[in-house]
C-alpha cells in the first residue's frame, strides 16, 4: 500500500469517533481541523524505519504480550551519566535480559525545582547535562537494532513554572493564563480544597499556590512549581498532542502518561478520574493509532483496582495498552511483613479474573514511594484496622519490629491523618542492607533468598515485569540525598541512588551478594523467556496451599502448565497441594518433583513444570 493510503486508511477508521469526542469536549471545528493537519505532518515526518516498525506491529498487535518482555527503569544520570553513556551500556542491559528500558524524565527541567524531572519546562529539549534530541534519536535507533524498546514519561498534567507558557501567564497574558487555572480570589481555591485530596500533604500541602507578583492563585496539585494544565482549553490539548507526536517520532516505543487520573478538573469533585480524562486518553490512543501505531500507552494510575482498570477502556474503544499493577505491588510488601499470603491470594484472584488482554506492568518497587493502598475491607474482617495497620507496616519496614530485617524511611507522613508512605530499595526492604551492616552471613542468605523469591513470584504474574536498575545486583538505600539541599526534603531519593558499577563488577562471582542476585535473576529471566506459559495472556490462577505463608500460582498456555510455589516466611513450610496430574520437573534445579505436599525451604520457591 502507498504510504499516503496507509495513513488515510488509519485516519478513516478513527476519524468519526475522534471528531465526535473532540466536538463533545471542545465544540471547535477549526481546532479539530488544525489537529488533523498536524497529525498528517507528524506522519509525514516520521522516519522510514519507524513506519516499517509501525506496520509490523499493526499486523502483530500482541507483540508486547510475549514472554520475553522484561523492563528496567532508571534515571539516565544515575545509570550512565548521560544518553551517550546509556548507549554504551546496552550490552549490560542485554545481559540483564532486558528489552525495554524506561528512561526516567530527561526533558528540560529547572534545577532544584524539578520533582525528579516531572516538572518539564520544554517538551522538545533534553536536559543539557544528559545530551540532546540527536542523542535521543541515536539512542533509540541503537536500542531498536538490539530489539530494545524505549519508554519515556509524558508529563501531561502540568508544566514547570518555567515553561514558556507559564512565564507568559505570569506576565498576565490572558491567552496563556487560560492554559492553567488562575484565580484572583481565595474563595474558589477554597471551594476546590473542600473536595480535592492532597498528593503531597507534607512536602507540598494544598492544591493551590499564591503568586504575590500577579496577585493570583494557580492550581498546583503536586509541587508549587508544577502548574496544572487546563485541558478545557483545546489549545492545551492540541499542543500537548503535538508534543506527544514529536516525542513519538524520536523513536519512543512506550509513552508513560504521567499522573493520568488528574488531567481534568471540575469544581465540587475530587478532580480525579473524571469522565473527560477517559475522553482525552481515548483520543490520544486514536491519534497514536493514526500517526504512530507502534507506540504503546502506559498509564500511570496509582489507585485502587476499580479505578485502575477503566483506563484500559473497552475492546472497541481501548485507552491505555498497559497499566501498573499497583495494588498487587503494595499487597506483596504487606505479605512480606505479615508472612500471611491470604490477602495477596485474594488480590491475585481479582487480577486473574480480569480479561486476559489487559497487560499489567508488574514490579516490586519503582522510583516512587510505596503507598499502603490495600483492601482494608477484607482486612477488617480479620480485625485489622487501616490506620493501625499502616502504622504497623511503616514501623515494620523501618526496622522497628522485632522480626523485621528491613531498612527504609517514611514518605509524606501526614500528621493530620496519621498516614505515611514508604521508601526503600527492594534489597534494603529484604534485609540486605541490615545484614551487610551487621556482617551477619546467615541473615544475608535469608535476605538474598527473600529478594530472589519475590522476583520469582513477580515473574509468575501475568504482564510485563519491570526491574528498577540496581535491584538486579541488590543495591541498598542511598542516604546521600540528605546532603543535597535540592533533594533532602524528598525521601524518594533514598531509593533512586546511582548505579554502583563497582559492585556490578561482581555479577559473575556467585560468592558475592551481587553475583548471587544477578545470576539468580538471570536464571529466572531465561526460564521466563523460553517457557511460553509466561506469555501475558496465559491462564493464571492461585491454588490453596493450606499454609498461610505459602503462595501457589498456576499458569497454563497451549498444553504447558507451570505451578509456582513461594514461601513468604523465614521457616521451612509445606504446601498441602495435590496436583497429581502427572510428572513435573522443577525448572531451577532440574529435579523431578510432584506437586503434592511439597516442602519448601525458608523464603524458597519452586517453578514446577508439568512434563509432556
Ligand atoms: C508521578 C511520578 C512522580 C511525580 C508525579 C508528579 O506520580 O511518578 O514521581 O512526583 O507524577 O508529576
Amino acid at each position: 500500500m502507498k504510504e499516503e493510503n496507509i495513513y488515510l486508511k488509519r485516519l478513516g477508521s478513527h476519524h468519526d469517533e475522534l471528531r465526535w469526542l473532540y466536538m463533545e469536549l471542545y465544540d471547535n471545528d477549526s481546532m479539530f481541523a488544525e489537529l488533523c493537519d498536524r497529525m498528517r505532518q507528524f506522519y509525514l515526518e516520521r522516519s522510514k524505519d519507524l513506519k516499517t516498525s509501525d506496520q509490523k506491529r499493526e499486523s502483530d498487535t500482541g507483540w508486547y504480550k510475549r514472554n520475553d518482555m522484561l523492563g528496567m527503569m532508571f534515571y539516565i544520570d544515575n545509570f550512565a551519566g548521560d544518553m551517550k553513556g546509556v548507549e554504551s551500556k546496552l550490552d549490560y542491559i542485554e545481559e540483564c535480559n532486558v528489552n525495554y528500558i524506561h528512561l526516567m524524565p530527561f526533558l528540560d527541567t529547572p534545577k532544584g525545582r524539578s520533582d525528579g524531572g516531572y516538572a518539564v519546562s520544554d517538551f522538545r529539549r533534553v536536559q543539557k547535562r544528559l545530551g540532546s534530541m540527536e542523542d535521543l534519536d541515536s539512542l533509540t535507533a541503537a536500542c531498536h537494532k538490539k530489539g530494545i524498546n524505549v519508554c519515556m514519561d509524558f508529563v501531561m498534567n502540568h508544566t514547570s513554572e518555567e515553561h514558556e507558557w507559564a512565564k507568559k501567564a505570569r506576565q498576565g497574558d490572558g491567552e496563556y493564563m487560560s492554559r492553567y487555572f488562575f484565580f484572583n480570589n481565595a474563595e474558589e481555591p477554597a471551594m476546590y480544597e473542600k473536595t480535592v485530596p492532597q498528593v503531597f500533604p507534607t512536602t507540598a500541602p494544598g492544591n493551590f499556590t499564591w503568586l504575590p507578583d500577579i496577585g493570583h492563585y494557580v492550581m498546583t496539585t503536586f509541587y508549587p512549581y508544577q502548574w496544572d494544565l487546563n485541558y478545557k482549553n483545546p489549545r492545551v490539548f492540541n499542543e500537548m498532542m503535538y508534543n506527544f507526536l514529536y516525542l513519538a517520532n524520536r523513536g519512543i516505543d512506550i509513552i508513560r502518561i504521567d499522573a493520568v487520573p488528574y488531567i481534568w478538573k471540575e469544581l465540587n469533585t475530587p478532580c480525579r478520574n473524571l469522565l473527560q480524562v477517559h475522553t482525552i486518553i481515548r483520543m490520544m490512543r486514536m491519534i497514536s493509532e493514526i500517526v504512530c501505531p507502534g507506540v504503546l500507552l502506559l498509564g500511570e494510575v496509582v489507585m485502587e483496582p476499580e479505578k485502575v482498570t477503566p483506563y484500559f477502556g473497552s475492546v472497541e474503544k481501548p485507552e491505555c495498552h498497559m497499566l501498573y499493577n499497583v495494588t498487587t505491588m503494595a499487597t506483596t510488601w504487606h505479605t512480606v511483613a505479615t508472612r500471611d499470603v491470604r490477602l495477596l491470594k485474594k488480590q491475585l484472584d481479582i487480577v486473574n479474573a480480569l480479561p486476559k488482554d489487559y497487560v499489567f506492568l508488574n514490579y516490586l518497587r519503582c522510583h516512587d514511594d510505596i503507598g499502603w493502598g490495600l483492601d482494608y475491607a477484607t482486612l477488617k474482617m480479620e480485625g485489622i484496622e487501616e490506620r493501625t495497620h499502616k502504622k504497623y507496616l511503616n514501623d515494620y519496614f523501618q526496622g522497628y519490629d522485632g522480626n523485621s530485617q528491613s531498612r527504609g524511611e517514611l514518605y509524606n507522613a501526614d500528621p493530620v491523618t496519621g498516614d505515611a508512605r514508604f521508601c526503600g530499595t527492594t534489597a534494603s526492604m529484604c534485609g540486605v542492607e541490615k545484614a551487610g551492616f551487621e556482617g551477619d552471613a546467615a541473615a544475608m542468605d535469608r535476605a538474598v533468598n527473600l529478594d530472589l523469591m519475590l522476583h520469582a513470584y513477580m515473574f509468575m504474574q501475568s504482564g510485563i515485569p519491570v526491574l528498577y536498575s540496581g535491584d538486579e545486583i541488590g543495591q541498598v538505600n542511598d542516604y546521600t540525598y540528605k546532603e543535597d539541599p535540592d533533594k533532602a526534603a524528598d525521601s524518594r531519593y533514598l531509593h533512586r541512588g546511582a548505579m554502583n558499577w563497582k559492585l556490578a563488577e561482581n555479577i559473575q562471582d556467585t560468592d558475592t551478594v551481587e553475583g548471587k542476585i544477578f545470576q539468580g535473576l538471570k536464571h529466572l529471566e531465561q526460564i521466563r523467556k523460553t517457557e511460553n506459559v509466561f506469555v501475558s495472556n496465559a491462564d493464571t490462577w492461585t491454588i490453596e496451599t493450606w499454609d498461610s505463608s505459602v503462595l501457589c500460582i498456576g499458569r497454563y498456555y497451549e498444553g504447558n502448565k507451570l505451578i509456582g510455589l513461594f514461601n513468604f516466611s523465614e521457616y521451612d513450610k509445606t504446601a498441602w497441594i495435590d496436583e497429581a496430574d502427572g510428572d513435573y520437573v522443577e525448572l531451577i534445579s532440574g529435579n523431578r518433583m510432584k506437586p503434592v505436599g511439597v516442602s519448601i525451604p525458608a523464603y524458597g520457591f519452586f517453578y514446577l513444570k508439568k512434563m509432556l
Side-chain angles (χ1 to χ4, degrees), residues 159-359:
T159 75
S160 151
E161 62 183 348
E162 289 190 25
H163 187 277
E164 184 200 339
W165 298 354
K167 285 199 215 152
K168 288 189 175 148
R170 203 164 190 157
Q171 283 155 12
D173 184 331
E175 155 66 22
Y176 290 91
M177 287 174 86
S178 73
R179 298 185 188 190
Y180 299 94
F181 296 89
F182 276 92
F183 303 95
N184 61 5
N185 59 75
E187 288 77 44
E188 271 181 275
M191 274 160 75
Y192 274 100
E193 293 289 13
K194 283 191 192 147
T195 54
V196 186
Q198 303 193 48
V199 181
F200 299 144
T202 328
T203 49
N207 289 288
F208 295 87
T209 299
W210 170 245
L211 304 173
D213 45 330
I214 60 162
H216 273 76
Y217 285 91
V218 65
M219 186 183 259
T220 53
T221 304
F222 294 86
Y223 279 109
Y225 51 78
Q226 290 166 309
W227 293 10
D228 289 81
L229 284 168
N230 182 358
Y231 279 88
K232 285 186 183 165
N233 182 341
R235 177 51 63 205
V236 168
F237 176 78
N238 280 28
E239 293 294 334
M240 290 305 282
M241 289 306 104
Y242 308 154
N243 286 331
F244 156 55
L245 294 175
Y246 171 85
L247 294 165
N249 278 357
R250 306 275 70 75
I252 300 298
D253 302 276
I254 302 164
I255 293 274
R256 174 188 181 272
I257 315 173
D258 184 59
V260 185
Y262 302 82
I263 56 187
W264 192 275
K265 278 89 177 172
E266 224 42 89
L267 193 60
N268 299 322
T269 74
C271 294
R272 289 176 180 34
N273 305 304
L274 300 181
L275 275 179
Q276 292 87 340
V277 177
H278 291 278
T279 307
I280 286 177
I281 301 304
R282 175 68 192 137
M283 289 200 287
M284 198 166 165
R285 172 77 179 245
M286 286 190 279
I287 290 168
S288 83
E289 282 185 3
I290 295 168
V291 181
C292 48
V295 172
L296 302 177
L297 301 181
L298 161 63
E300 190 223 1
V301 186
V302 179
M303 302 213 158
E304 50 273 45
E306 56 278 17
K307 300 208 170 115
V308 174
T309 47
Y311 287 96
F312 281 117
S314 65
V315 178
E316 299 79 28
K317 298 182 175 170
E319 296 175 23
C320 294
H321 296 84
M322 309 187 288
L323 295 167
Y324 289 90
N325 202 348
V326 55
T327 304
T328 301
M329 184 276 290
T331 311
T332 301
W333 291 109
H334 152 91
T335 312
V336 170
T338 59
R339 280 83 162 161
D340 184 339
V341 301
R342 283 174 300 170
L343 191 70
L344 183 57
K345 181 176 183 306
K346 186 170 180 201
Q347 166 61 20
L348 293 174
D349 289 343
I350 293 172
V351 176
N352 293 336
L354 294 170
K356 278 190 270 179
D357 273 332
Y358 287 2
V359 177

Side-chain angles (χ1 to χ4, degrees), residues 581-599:
D581 59 352
D583 288 331
Y584 281 73
V585 59
E586 204 282 311
L587 293 177
I588 312 292
S589 60
N591 295 337
R592 290 271 189 115
M593 228 182 209
K594 279 203 188 305
V596 179
V598 187
S599 314

Side-chain angles (χ1 to χ4, degrees), residues 115 118 158 200 222 226 256 258 300 367-368 492 496:
D115 184 23
Y118 285 97
H158 43 262
F200 299 144
F222 294 86
Q226 290 166 309
R256 174 188 181 272
D258 184 59
E300 190 223 1
H367 67 298
D368 280 330
R492 288 176 298 178
R496 294 176 181 172

Side-chain angles (χ1 to χ4, degrees), residues 412-426:
N412 267 278
D414 185 341
V416 182
T417 60
D419 214 12
R421 284 118 75 175
F422 191 78
C423 297
T425 70
T426 304

Side-chain angles (χ1 to χ4, degrees), residues 560-605:
N560 289 312
K561 182 176 168 191
L562 191 78
I563 303 280
L565 286 164
F566 309 95
N567 182 354
F568 276 78
S569 98
E570 64 274 58
Y571 301 104
D572 299 351
K573 294 277 177 172
T574 300
W576 299 106
I577 57 170
D578 190 4
E579 298 280 310
D581 59 352
D583 288 331
Y584 281 73
V585 59
E586 204 282 311
L587 293 177
I588 312 292
S589 60
N591 295 337
R592 290 271 189 115
M593 228 182 209
K594 279 203 188 305
V596 179
V598 187
S599 314
I600 315 164
Y603 289 140
F605 66 91

